[in-house]
């Protein structure tokens, strides 16, 4: 099976969704590492509970992005990860790191990209009066949250929503789409080619949501 490293910063519910999909056999991967940039990330406990090697790579005071990313790369090389799955990993990665892992690294982002790259996406959707919001999985390229989109899920926004209720609705969808993308990657069906995401030989409509 493909060797998957999952990078997290916090709660790790998307990590859990991937673990669960693997446990029940919806996907077949080897979870070779969970790496957090924060020692108190709850997802590290999820990893330990499921006997997945858990690593903390915390930034040192004054450390450059390049130095941090080199230490991160060393852990990934050590565990011979085929694919890197960013699941709530809240650090910007250097261009060099991204280029080195181009086509091997995916991210999940809590908006219908290209809407709302960056932070506070649920607040932005509410503030703009959007009636539809959602989540996107994309290949990671040097420009933040702008790589080719692989799969999106939409959710309705209700008048009475606050950030928590909307975030919860988006999260539920994330837990469905992310294991599916990991499955495609692990099966060798999904590739990054010429700036596009390609599934089963078909170019996926990149930046397709309008
Ligand atoms: C998810 O909603 C994910 O889309 C978001 O962080 C959350 C992590 O939740 N990612 C980003 O905002 C990336 N910029 P989790 O730790 O429970 O999986």
């Amino acid at each position: 099976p493909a060797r998957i490293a999952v990078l997290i910063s916090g709660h790790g519910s998307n990590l859990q969704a991937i673990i669960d999909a693997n446990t029940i056999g919806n996907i077949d991967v080897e979870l070779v590492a969970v790496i957090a940039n924060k020692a108190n990330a709850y997802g590290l406990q999820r990893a330990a509970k499921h006997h997945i090697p858990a690593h903390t790579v915390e930034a040192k005071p004054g450390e450059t992005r390049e130095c941090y990313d080199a230490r991160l790369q060393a852990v990934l090389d050590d565990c011979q990860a085929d694919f890197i799955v960013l699941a709530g990993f809240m650090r910007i990665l250097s261009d060099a790191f991204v280029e080195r892992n181009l086509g091997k690294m995916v991210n999940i982002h809590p908006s219908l990209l290209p809407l709302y790259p960056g932070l506070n996406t649920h607040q932005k959707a509410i503030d703009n009066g959007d009636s539809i919001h959602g989540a996107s999985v994309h290949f990671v390229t040097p420009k933040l949250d702008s790589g080719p989109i692989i799969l999106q899920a939409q959710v309705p926004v209700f008048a009475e929503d606050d950030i928590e209720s909307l975030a919860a609705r988006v999260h539920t969808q994330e837990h469905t789409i992310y294991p599916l993308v990991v499955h495609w990657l692990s099966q060798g069906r999904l590739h990054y080619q010429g700036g596009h995401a390609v599934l089963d030989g078909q170019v996926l409509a990149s930046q397709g949501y309008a």
Side-chain angles (χ1 to χ4, degrees), residues 2-6 18 29-33 81-85 182 186:
R3 300 172 66 82
I4 308 287
V6 183
I18 293 164
V29 299
E30 191 167 346
L31 292 164
V32 293
D82 298 313
F83 298 106
I84 304 164
V85 173
V182 170
S186 70

Side-chain angles (χ1 to χ4, degrees), residues 21-84:
N22 205 35
T23 302
I24 66 177
N26 279 354
I27 69 177
D28 180 20
V29 299
E30 191 167 346
L31 292 164
V32 293
V34 170
I35 307 173
N37 67 322
K38 301 211 181 300
N40 63 356
Y42 178 66
L44 289 170
Q45 296 181 41
R46 300 181 191 269
K49 186 170 168 197
H50 293 274
H51 311 290
I52 302 164
H55 308 261
T56 302
V57 183
E58 281 194 303
K60 298 171 182 167
E63 185 177 31
T64 64
R65 204 168 283 293
E66 285 67 26
C67 283
Y68 178 91
D69 289 356
R71 293 196 294 123
L72 184 60
Q73 187 71 56
V75 175
L76 290 163
D77 290 349
D78 240 33
C79 65
Q80 300 181 315
D82 298 313
F83 298 106
I84 304 164

Side-chain angles (χ1 to χ4, degrees), residues 2 29 37 43 51 61 64 87-88 92 97 110-111 132 134 137 141 144 147 163 166 180 182 185 190-191 200:
V29 299
N37 67 322
H51 311 290
T64 64
I92 292 176
F97 182 93
S111 77
I132 297 174
V137 180
T141 58
L144 184 71
I163 294 181
L166 184 54
L180 181 55
V182 170
L185 274 176
L190 177 63
H191 302 276
D200 297 335

Side-chain angles (χ1 to χ4, degrees), residues 12-161:
S13 70
N14 280 288
L15 164 67
Q16 188 70 54
I18 293 164
I19 292 172
D20 291 347
N22 205 35
T23 302
I24 66 177
N26 279 354
I27 69 177
D28 180 20
V29 299
E30 191 167 346
L31 292 164
V32 293
V34 170
I35 307 173
N37 67 322
K38 301 211 181 300
N40 63 356
Y42 178 66
L44 289 170
Q45 296 181 41
R46 300 181 191 269
K49 186 170 168 197
H50 293 274
H51 311 290
I52 302 164
H55 308 261
T56 302
V57 183
E58 281 194 303
K60 298 171 182 167
E63 185 177 31
T64 64
R65 204 168 283 293
E66 285 67 26
C67 283
Y68 178 91
D69 289 356
R71 293 196 294 123
L72 184 60
Q73 187 71 56
V75 175
L76 290 163
D77 290 349
D78 240 33
C79 65
Q80 300 181 315
D82 298 313
F83 298 106
I84 304 164
V85 173
L86 306 183
F89 187 68
M90 303 304 279
R91 266 187 74 90
I92 292 176
L93 295 160
S94 60
D95 287 1
F97 182 93
V98 171
E99 293 288 359
R100 173 158 175 187
N101 294 290
L102 199 61
K104 293 177 51 176
M105 182 158 59
V106 291
N107 181 45
I108 192 159
H109 182 79
S111 77
L112 294 172
L113 290 170
L115 285 175
Y116 315 137
L119 298 175
N120 305 318
T121 58
H122 308 305
Q123 184 68 61
K124 287 171 184 163
I126 290 172
D127 289 350
N128 282 333
D130 295 350
S131 57
I132 297 174
H133 183 46
S136 307
V137 180
H138 63 93
F139 278 111
V140 178
T141 58
K143 190 167 176 222
L144 184 71
D145 297 331
S146 299
I149 293 166
I150 299 163
L151 188 60
Q152 296 180 309
Q154 299 182 0
V155 303
V157 184
F158 299 120
E160 57 272 26
D161 269 326

